[in-house]
Amino acid sequence: MDSMIKSIDINPDWFYHRMQLEKLEDILNTGAILSRRKLGYQKMNHTTWNGLDYISLSKREEELIWNSSYNRFISSSYAFVLGSIPAEKTEYIEDNNYELWRKLSKLFPNKRFSPYEDEYQVKDEISLDTVVGIKIPDRDKKFSSVEYYKEKDWAIDVVLNKLGSNLESVPFIDVNEGLQIDRCDIKKYMKNRKGE
């Protein structure tokens, strides 16, 4: 098999969903990213803006800094890169009064709210057939939060081990550099990148 790293255009219409290692096995087994309700949860915590029935996605909008779900959750993480899927744009709200907006979501079930300007939501589930790539963590982790970035958990060896033979044809993507890296080259790429 020929190894391949190539330049690509990063599609501005791609969506990103943070890959959580503790949930990855279930996602791979079901072949889909599921909402909390579909996973069997009946309660939300006080910061669950997407509720029980929706899955949060981010878009990469470079002009956003502070009100960006991409910067907060995606930039420092591995993430599923999703192609063209029907996702609902949330309405940005500056007031972080979660209880008020949760009540409004119940009154207007087709309206979604978020404290982030680049958040989108999908109801119930997203098939892994829509995954076009796996985003690698940005080298610059200036937006990352300790709660979302633990370097030891995000070693490429750990991710590859969890993926196993799943999504083998799906490339890794370095969004900042505009590069697509085949699985057979990703360990070498990450090692070389870390050394720079």
Side-chain angles (χ1 to χ4, degrees):
M1 174 188 271
D2 292 331
S3 63
M4 174 114 27
I5 298 175
K6 66 178 184 179
S7 294
I8 60 167
D9 291 327
I10 301 303
N11 188 328
D13 292 326
W14 281 345
F15 294 102
Y16 300 85
H17 181 77
R18 185 168 56 98
M19 188 184 285
Q20 296 173 280
L21 288 183
E22 67 273 12
K23 296 179 179 178
L24 186 54
E25 189 174 336
D26 288 339
I27 289 171
L28 296 172
N29 287 339
T30 59
I33 302 164
L34 301 176
S35 67
R36 285 179 181 82
R37 190 179 311 277
K38 291 270 188 180
L39 289 169
Y41 293 93
Q42 298 302 318
K43 292 185 179 180
M44 298 180 293
N45 64 36
H46 69 284
T47 59
T48 310
W49 286 86
N50 57 338
L52 290 173
D53 298 306
Y54 287 84
I55 301 159
S56 289
L57 303 174
S58 300
K59 266 198 178 176
R60 184 173 179 256
E61 298 181 19
E62 294 185 58
E63 68 277 2
L64 295 179
I65 297 175
W66 302 115
N67 301 327
S68 168
S69 62
Y70 183 92
N71 288 338
R72 175 81 167 112
F73 302 105
I74 305 299
S75 66
S76 63
S77 299
Y78 285 88
F80 292 108
V81 182
L82 304 161
S84 180
I85 57 172
E88 187 174 334
K89 175 80 173 93
T90 60
E91 184 174 321
Y92 170 67
I93 47 102
E94 291 185 49
D95 176 12
N96 281 345
N97 183 340
Y98 169 75
E99 290 301 322
L100 169 66
W101 295 104
R102 188 173 73 167
K103 288 174 185 171
L104 285 173
S105 288
K106 287 181 178 178
L107 286 173
F108 306 101
N110 294 327
K111 203 159 186 71
R112 308 303 305 155
F113 301 99
S114 173
Y116 302 107
E117 293 183 65
D118 57 356
E119 182 175 350
Y120 291 74
Q121 294 180 2
V122 171
K123 194 166 192 315
D124 294 328
E125 70 180 77
I126 301 168
S127 170
L128 290 186
D129 292 341
T130 62
V131 174
V132 297
I134 297 171
K135 180 205 161 292
I136 61 173
D138 294 355
R139 184 183 297 136
D140 178 6
K141 302 180 193 75
K142 65 184 174 186
F143 296 111
S144 69
S145 162
V146 171
E147 77 183 285
Y148 295 112
Y149 180 83
K150 299 175 186 169
E151 191 161 352
K152 68 179 178 58
D153 291 340
W154 292 112
I156 188 61
D157 302 49
V158 176
V159 173
L160 288 171
N161 185 47
K162 287 274 189 183
L163 285 172
S165 61
N166 296 285
L167 300 173
E168 276 189 314
S169 62
V170 173
F172 285 82
I173 297 174
D174 186 326
V175 173
N176 286 343
E177 299 298 324
L179 293 174
Q180 176 179 299
I181 306 104
D182 284 354
R183 189 182 287 209
C184 59
D185 284 322
I186 191 61
K187 283 176 79 167
K188 182 179 178 184
Y189 180 80
M190 295 297 282
K191 184 178 180 181
N192 290 342
R193 191 181 79 153
K194 189 174 181 180
E196 288 181 0

